[in-house]
Amino acid sequence: MGNSKFPSFTDGCASLLKKHLTKEIWEELQGRRTASGFTISDLIRSGVEQEDSSIGMYAGDAESYDLFAPLLDPVLLDYHGSSGPHPAPDFSLDALPELSREAQENILSTRVRVGRNLAGYPLGPAISSAERREVETRIKEALAHLPDAIQGAYHSLSEMNQTRRQDLVARHLLFKSEDRFLTSAGLMRDWPDARGIFLSRDEAFSVWVNEEDQLRIIAMKKGGDVTAVFRLLTEGVSALSRHLDFLTDPRLGFLTSCPTNLGTAMRASVHMRLTGLATDEAALKVNAEALGLQVRGIHGEHSQSKGGVFDISNRMRLGVTEAEAITHLMRGINHLARMDAEAAPL
Ligand code: ADP
Ligand code: ARG
């Protein structure tokens, strides 16, 4: 069933959903339904229920991106500066820039993650509990074939005790178990069933299973060796690609439940001390945005910064290659480090 009424948003709502959902588009999309039963009401539920969303939409399946394109394409263009076509993957390391010494010295840790979903299944918001379990099984089988250097163990969330879970979250290794945006999107159904995390022995390589996307493949290390972290991620992604068929689209690249993650589905981030710029967080966000970067807090999205440390990452994921996105981030980090040095009191 479609929406019976055009959604109303309060004045304070600044989501891309509110900005791009015209009455005409909403009427045009009424009655459309994907093969897994996803409608426009399902697509926009998170943004309607959570008015502080920045985007406010989650797709249920690959077909959502075609059927609801009159709404989604303008949102993609607004967020990524592109609504496709997306270039072929490029994880090459040869042309990456160097990080300046002042940037290196202020980076505490580096993390690069990509989102992936399996071909032949709906995305998380429309998946059934039986399909979600099947997805988990397939991923566990693939993880057993990882090269020895990144081998480790899979930990099911339903079998994990609270202390262990909270410790992994606090150490930035595991997703949180509550998120009202994901709840509204239908992504927390049957929680914690079929969710889990694979951790390599040294914890530098990990895979989140059945959270916002069916896989989040992650490399993370202390310090600012972005190239080394990107190399580790590449190793894991290519090993898993040999055993899993990922959901892709000729126009949109790797498909993810949230439109912000399409394309490369890659977020590369550093935890960086920016003591000089921290005195005016609003200005930092504006400057970072102008550099094509995003500022998050110390515990990721929707969290606060602490002690002048920020999570700085690439904003665009669609219409650029992985190598281009990393290059862009590294140049932006150098720029911010320079600005920070200039802003710091002597
Ligand atoms: P995602 O990166 O998957 O989009 P979040 O922004 O919620 O999601 O981040 C997930 C976790 O990764 C959080 O605990 C966050 O603090 C952590 N994280 C992100 N970047 C870094 C980094 N460079 N160093 C350490 N932890 C990080
Ligand atoms: N749905 C949330 C919003 O619109 C998050 C959007 C981007 N982040 C994400 N984890 N997909 O604000």
Side-chain angles (χ1 to χ4, degrees), residues 221-292:
K221 285 176 191 272
K222 295 243 176 292
D225 193 345
V226 179
T227 304
V229 176
F230 186 48
R231 185 184 296 115
L232 175 62
L233 177 88
T234 304
E235 200 184 321
V237 170
S238 46
L240 288 173
S241 316
R242 285 194 284 275
H243 297 278
L244 294 169
D245 187 11
F246 295 136
L247 185 64
T248 57
D249 178 86
R251 178 171 69 101
L252 299 173
F254 291 104
L255 292 185
T256 52
S257 65
C258 177
T260 63
N261 282 320
L262 294 171
T264 56
M266 186 180 86
R267 188 171 90 88
S269 59
V270 291
H271 273 186
M272 189 171 184
R273 202 179 300 110
L274 292 167
T275 331
L277 298 174
T279 52
D280 188 348
E281 277 194 33
L284 167 62
K285 286 194 174 143
V286 172
N287 285 319
E289 183 133 338
L291 293 168

Side-chain angles (χ1 to χ4, degrees), residues 82-131:
S82 164
S83 55
H86 184 71
D90 175 10
F91 284 85
S92 56
L93 296 156
D94 354 310
L96 298 185
E98 300 262 304
L99 279 187
S100 66
R101 187 137 63 85
E102 57 197 349
Q104 289 274 6
E105 280 168 359
N106 286 301
I107 298 176
L108 309 180
S109 55
T110 304
R111 176 180 183 265
V112 187
R113 62 84 166 151
V114 293
R116 293 287 185 270
N117 291 279
L118 298 192
Y121 293 90
L123 294 164
I127 203 164
S128 71
S129 51
E131 287 169 323

Side-chain angles (χ1 to χ4, degrees), residues 108-111 113 168-176 208 211-212 216 218 220-221 261 267 269-271 296-303 311-312 317:
L108 309 180
S109 55
T110 304
R111 176 180 183 265
R113 62 84 166 151
L168 290 176
V169 174
R171 292 195 294 124
H172 308 282
L173 287 163
L174 180 62
F175 46 79
K176 300 182 201 120
W208 293 357
E211 196 238 12
E212 182 175 321
R216 283 287 171 94
I218 303 161
M220 182 162 78
K221 285 176 191 272
N261 282 320
R267 188 171 90 88
S269 59
V270 291
H271 273 186
R296 294 186 179 185
I298 206 70
H299 287 286
E301 194 169 34
H302 310 121
S303 76
D311 171 327
I312 308 291
R317 317 193 210 289

Side-chain angles (χ1 to χ4, degrees), residues 118 121 127 129-145 154 156 193-196 209-210 214-215 240 243-244:
L118 298 192
Y121 293 90
I127 203 164
S129 51
E131 287 169 323
R132 195 188 298 107
R133 285 184 174 187
E134 251 178 71
V135 164
E136 185 194 37
T137 304
R138 284 180 174 234
I139 297 172
K140 278 162 66 175
E141 283 164 8
L143 287 166
H145 291 96
Y154 181 74
S156 152
D193 191 61
R195 273 73 175 203
V209 176
N210 283 325
Q214 289 157 5
L215 298 102
L240 288 173
H243 297 278
L244 294 169

Side-chain angles (χ1 to χ4, degrees), residues 1 33 62-63 74-75 111 135-136 167 173 177 187-188 210 228 249 258 270 281 299-301 305 310 314 328 333 343:
M1 273 292 157
R33 194 183 190 89
E63 203 187 341
V75 169
R111 176 180 183 265
V135 164
E136 185 194 37
D167 171 65
L173 287 163
S177 277
L187 277 157
M188 306 286 288
N210 283 325
D249 178 86
C258 177
V270 291
E281 277 194 33
H299 287 286
E301 194 169 34
S305 143
F310 296 87
N314 60 303
H328 189 82
I333 290 171

